[in-house]
Amino acid sequence: MKAVYISEPGGPEVLELREVPSPVPGPGEVLIDVVAAGLNRADVQQRRGFYPPPQGASEIPGLEVSGRIAGFGPGVTKPFSIGDKVVALLAGGGYAGQVAVPAGQVLRIPDGVDLVTAASLPEVAATVYSNLVMTAQLQAGETVLIHGATGGIGTMAIQLAKALGARVAATAGTAEKVGTAIAFLGADIAINYAEEEFPESLRGQNGGKGADVILDVVGAKYLGRNVDALADYGRLVVIGLQGGTTAELDLGMLLRKRAAIIATSLRPRPVEEKTVIMTAVRDAVWPLVADGRIRPLVARTFPLDQVREAQRYFDSGEHVGKVLLVM
């Protein structure tokens, strides 16, 4: 099969398309003929040498795919059949013609979604649902602040939070993206972080109140301002480190607000935890996709042999929604 490898840490030019043996599904795994794979920030960090795959995971980048069931390893108990159209959450291996993945991380695609578009869903749906609902316990009527409004995580998080009945604020870096967050994604408040400080803007547009929950992909660069932007008893969930790993923290402000900071990562979790998350996604998120309250948003697709161009486009930050590779 064809698969993408990273020859050495660096820019998109280090991505190489190779012919390699197809994977053999192990116990409890299914083999998937990949139709499309989603690009994620973790893939870029892995390419740069900052985010190696977990122990035992494939060196091939790619954390989510759509495709068709092609085979089974021993002991698969989930009721799949050869040819079923599915999506899968991976620890790696998605930029390839086939992938073997634990059956608990595989779901049939939601009703009404085509097989290519479906590749945009599993990683972001699992990340957003597990963090906003299972970790932060976001409730209807609460205010949630989502950074990176128009990326893959942001577009899913805004729509899911709205479907749950939350008041949604989001940040973006251009006037066009701010407009998209409100007009297309349904955010109640959108803040251009290039022009204004988001804690003050949020309180100014939210009756003087901060956010009950913040979903943050930036990390160190935003830590102080995120704590400032929290409401009393607020929960800051850090899921990315695009703005660095180390920052000073005003513990006094955190104490006064009786607030919490939680940091989570999906990729290295054990299969058992990922299975629980994917089951929750199937039960809670897929119906919202099927009835149109959550719309998968794909910015562009690229053939696998244009993976360098795909990651250059992803790195540019111009996209609104997901970027996909098509086999």
Side-chain angles (χ1 to χ4, degrees):
M1 69 173 186
K2 291 182 178 180
V4 174
Y5 278 80
I6 301 168
S7 62
E8 60 182 347
E13 69 278 359
V14 305
L15 299 170
E16 297 181 352
L17 192 60
R18 302 177 184 174
E19 287 283 347
V20 298
S22 295
V24 176
E29 293 184 332
V30 299
L31 182 68
I32 297 173
D33 285 331
V34 177
V35 169
L39 273 65
N40 290 283
R41 183 61 54 185
D43 307 339
V44 172
Q45 294 297 86
Q46 181 177 336
R47 187 199 75 211
R48 293 172 175 166
F50 301 138
Y51 194 19
Q55 186 174 6
S58 172
E59 295 180 4
I60 300 167
L63 303 184
E64 59 185 342
V65 297
S66 62
R68 298 179 178 88
I69 298 288
F72 302 95
V76 173
T77 58
K78 292 193 75 172
F80 290 123
S81 300
I82 299 294
D84 281 352
K85 297 177 180 180
V86 295
V87 297
L89 177 71
L90 314 173
Y95 291 16
Q98 288 188 315
V99 66
V101 57
Q105 296 170 209
V106 180
L107 300 178
R108 290 183 176 84
I109 67 172
D111 292 340
V113 179
D114 69 83
L115 195 48
V116 170
T117 301
S120 68
L121 288 170
E123 199 276 340
V124 293
T127 296
V128 170
Y129 189 83
S130 65
N131 284 290
L132 284 187
V133 179
M134 300 173 78
T135 297
Q137 298 289 306
L138 179 66
Q139 303 295 313
E142 289 190 317
T143 297
V144 58
L145 173 62
I146 296 160
H147 292 302
T150 56
I153 294 292
T155 55
M156 170 61 71
I158 291 171
Q159 294 182 87
L160 177 62
K162 287 297 295 182
L164 295 173
R167 179 169 171 80
V168 178
T171 64
T174 69
E176 180 182 6
K177 289 183 176 181
V178 164
T180 297
I182 292 176
F184 183 79
L185 298 171
D188 300 289
I189 298 168
I191 301 164
N192 186 338
Y193 63 77
E195 297 181 352
E196 52 188 337
E197 290 292 335
F198 66 81
E200 290 82 357
S201 182
L202 172 62
R203 287 189 288 266
Q205 298 182 69
N206 197 40
K209 184 176 182 294
D212 300 291
V213 173
I214 299 176
L215 187 65
D216 177 49
V217 297
V218 178
K221 183 179 178 180
Y222 275 9
L223 180 60
R225 282 175 284 177
N226 276 331
V227 173
D228 184 11
L230 283 172
D232 289 348
Y233 302 100
R235 291 87 74 196
L236 165 60
V237 184
V238 180
I239 62 170
L241 301 171
Q242 296 175 31
T245 61
T246 304
E248 290 188 358
L249 173 63
D250 184 347
L251 287 172
M253 182 182 293
L254 199 66
L255 284 167
R256 289 191 297 274
K257 293 186 174 187
R258 286 84 67 202
I261 300 174
I262 308 159
T264 74
S265 181
L266 180 62
R267 187 183 192 185
R269 295 193 192 202
V271 170
E272 294 77 13
E273 289 188 26
K274 291 179 180 178
T275 298
V276 170
I277 291 169
M278 290 299 279
T279 300
V281 165
R282 181 198 65 197
D283 294 343
V285 181
W286 269 201
L288 301 174
V289 176
D291 70 15
R293 281 183 282 175
I294 291 178
R295 294 172 288 176
L297 185 57
V298 175
R300 284 185 65 181
T301 62
F302 293 81
L304 185 64
D305 61 6
Q306 293 181 18
V307 62
R308 294 177 180 178
E309 290 80 358
Q311 284 215 357
R312 286 190 187 99
Y313 175 67
F314 186 93
D315 283 347
S316 75
E318 296 174 1
H319 58 286
V320 175
K322 293 288 291 188
V323 181
L324 305 180
L325 293 171
V326 179
M327 305 305 142

